[in-house]
Amino acid sequence: MSTIFWIIALIVVLAVLIALAAAFYERATNAVSLVRTGIGGRKVVIDGGVLALPWFHEVSRVNMQSLRLDVQRQGERALITRDRLRVDVGAEFYLSVPPNEDDVARAAQALGRRSFQPDELRALIEGMLVDALRSVAARHTMDELHENRAEFVDAVRAALTKSVSRYGLALDSVSLSALDQTPFAALDENNAFNAVGLRKLAEVVALSKRERAEIEGETQVSVRRAAMEASRRQLEIDLEERRAEIAQAQQIEALMATQLAEIARAKAEAERAAAEARIRMEQDIQAADIAREQAIREAEILRARALEIAEQERAVQVLAKSQEESRAQAEADLARAEAIRAHEAIETARAGA
């Protein structure tokens, strides 16, 4: 009985311990890492979980996602270039905590909950971001910044890498969203930097105006020269077109004359062929008439000859028949005479007897 009791008690204790462990177990995710401090020392959890007991441990969460910080420097806060001109710049910085224990622990210590608050993080490190932009802009002229934006971004990234690493951060990327000259109206003429910049801008503007006027003058001359050249070429083209039209008209007339001559020749040949055909047809008709008449005459001759032959044959037949009848009559008469003689002989003999 006591053994069963102890087994049940052990099971109950294990269940309580498992429930407590589940209640105080903290898990890290892809977006959040954990740093536990207290009994057992510091433990950084990037993947997995850790047991944190109340009053014995404290758990800090660190945001592992990228944070975008937008920095705008315009007007009197614009950047000053090497040629003492001010430029309005807009830059976007993308920062994140690298997934290693040292950087996660450093971010937990230096940033705390600010890793989840972009505005608070900007307030903390915006100074170093602006300082990097200023230091890089001061080494380049405004034209160089405009023409080599990629180099400007790379230089800003190189200047910030070491600074943000002290906060456990890594600079993922920098993008230059805006870059333009600061308007005159936004500058204070009493500022020494602005005074130099305004003077240089005035020189640049004056030079640009003079060059533009020269270019416009040269452009007008070029335009007029081009117009004159175009007019000359247009006249030449018109002349060539007129020559081509005349040549084409001549060719058309020659072609029409050739075609008319060909038509007349074809018509004459057709008429001659028709006349020859008509003559041949009349000759054929005459020949056919002659042949028909000749055939009729030959047929009549043949018929007359046939009739004559038939008459001759009939006469021969009649003659032969008459000769046959005469011969038969003679033979009959001879036989009758012989019969008579025989009869007379018999009568004579009978009478003598």
Side-chain angles (χ1 to χ4, degrees), residues 48-68:
V50 66
L51 186 63
L53 300 176
W55 300 294
F56 297 102
H57 299 110
E58 182 177 352
V59 177
S60 299
R61 288 173 170 76
V62 178
N63 185 9
M64 304 298 292
Q65 294 179 322
S66 294
L67 297 174
R68 184 178 73 87

Side-chain angles (χ1 to χ4, degrees), residues 148-206:
N148 303 300
R149 294 190 177 198
E151 295 181 4
F152 176 66
V153 169
D154 292 340
V156 172
R157 178 184 297 174
L160 282 173
T161 300
K162 187 176 181 180
S163 301
V164 298
S165 64
R166 293 196 297 267
Y167 293 89
L169 296 171
L171 190 61
D172 296 333
S173 65
V174 180
S175 65
L176 198 61
S177 59
L179 177 64
D180 199 0
Q181 173 194 325
T182 303
F184 285 173
L187 300 179
D188 182 7
E189 297 180 357
N190 297 320
N191 183 286
F193 291 109
N194 294 343
V196 175
L198 289 172
R199 178 170 55 82
K200 293 180 72 70
L201 286 175
E203 293 175 356
V204 171
V205 171

Side-chain angles (χ1 to χ4, degrees), residues 25-30 32-34 43-50:
Y25 186 78
E26 299 282 349
R27 290 181 300 172
T29 64
N30 290 332
V32 179
S33 295
L34 304 177
K43 181 176 179 58
V44 177
V45 180
I46 298 175
D47 185 15
V50 66

Side-chain angles (χ1 to χ4, degrees), residues 66-299:
S66 294
L67 297 174
R68 184 178 73 87
L69 301 182
D70 187 14
V71 177
Q72 300 289 333
R73 307 299 295 178
Q74 298 175 349
E76 288 298 329
R77 300 168 63 243
L79 305 182
I80 301 175
T81 61
R82 190 179 66 189
D83 49 358
R84 299 299 188 273
L85 298 177
R86 287 189 180 271
V87 290
D88 293 341
V89 173
E92 295 178 354
F93 299 87
Y94 294 86
L95 303 102
S96 63
V97 178
N100 59 72
E101 293 186 0
D102 292 337
D103 289 321
V104 171
R106 191 177 296 113
Q109 183 178 2
L111 301 178
R113 297 292 299 176
R114 280 190 289 254
S115 64
F116 294 93
Q117 304 295 331
D119 293 337
E120 295 183 6
L121 181 61
R122 179 186 293 106
L124 179 65
I125 66 173
E126 185 177 14
M128 69 176 66
L129 302 180
V130 174
D131 184 63
L133 291 172
R134 284 177 173 172
S135 63
V136 175
R139 299 197 298 267
H140 298 80
T141 65
M142 183 174 67
D143 290 338
E144 291 174 348
L145 293 178
H146 174 69
E147 295 172 359
N148 303 300
R149 294 190 177 198
E151 295 181 4
F152 176 66
V153 169
D154 292 340
V156 172
R157 178 184 297 174
L160 282 173
T161 300
K162 187 176 181 180
S163 301
V164 298
S165 64
R166 293 196 297 267
Y167 293 89
L169 296 171
L171 190 61
D172 296 333
S173 65
V174 180
S175 65
L176 198 61
S177 59
L179 177 64
D180 199 0
Q181 173 194 325
T182 303
F184 285 173
L187 300 179
D188 182 7
E189 297 180 357
N190 297 320
N191 183 286
F193 291 109
N194 294 343
V196 175
L198 289 172
R199 178 170 55 82
K200 293 180 72 70
L201 286 175
E203 293 175 356
V204 171
V205 171
L207 178 61
S208 177
K209 288 182 178 180
R210 184 171 65 253
E211 291 177 351
R212 185 176 66 183
E214 293 176 355
I215 292 173
E216 289 177 352
E218 292 177 357
T219 301
Q220 291 179 358
V221 173
S222 300
V223 169
R224 294 184 64 182
R225 184 179 291 112
M228 182 182 67
E229 182 67 19
S231 178
R232 183 181 64 79
R233 292 183 62 186
Q234 183 64 39
L235 291 175
E236 291 179 355
I237 292 172
D238 292 341
L239 181 60
E240 291 296 328
E241 288 181 351
R242 183 58 180 165
R243 289 174 179 172
E245 290 176 357
I246 294 172
Q248 186 178 16
Q250 292 175 350
Q251 291 178 356
I252 292 173
E253 290 178 358
L255 181 61
M256 289 180 64
T258 303
Q259 289 181 348
L260 290 174
E262 184 67 22
I263 291 171
R265 185 181 62 80
K267 184 177 180 180
E269 290 181 356
E271 291 177 352
R272 183 172 62 253
E276 292 176 354
R278 186 171 59 255
I279 293 171
R280 283 196 301 270
M281 183 178 66
E282 291 176 354
Q283 291 175 352
D284 292 340
I285 292 172
Q286 291 176 357
D289 292 339
I290 294 171
R292 186 172 59 255
E293 291 177 357
Q294 185 176 359
I296 292 171
R297 285 196 299 272
E298 289 178 357

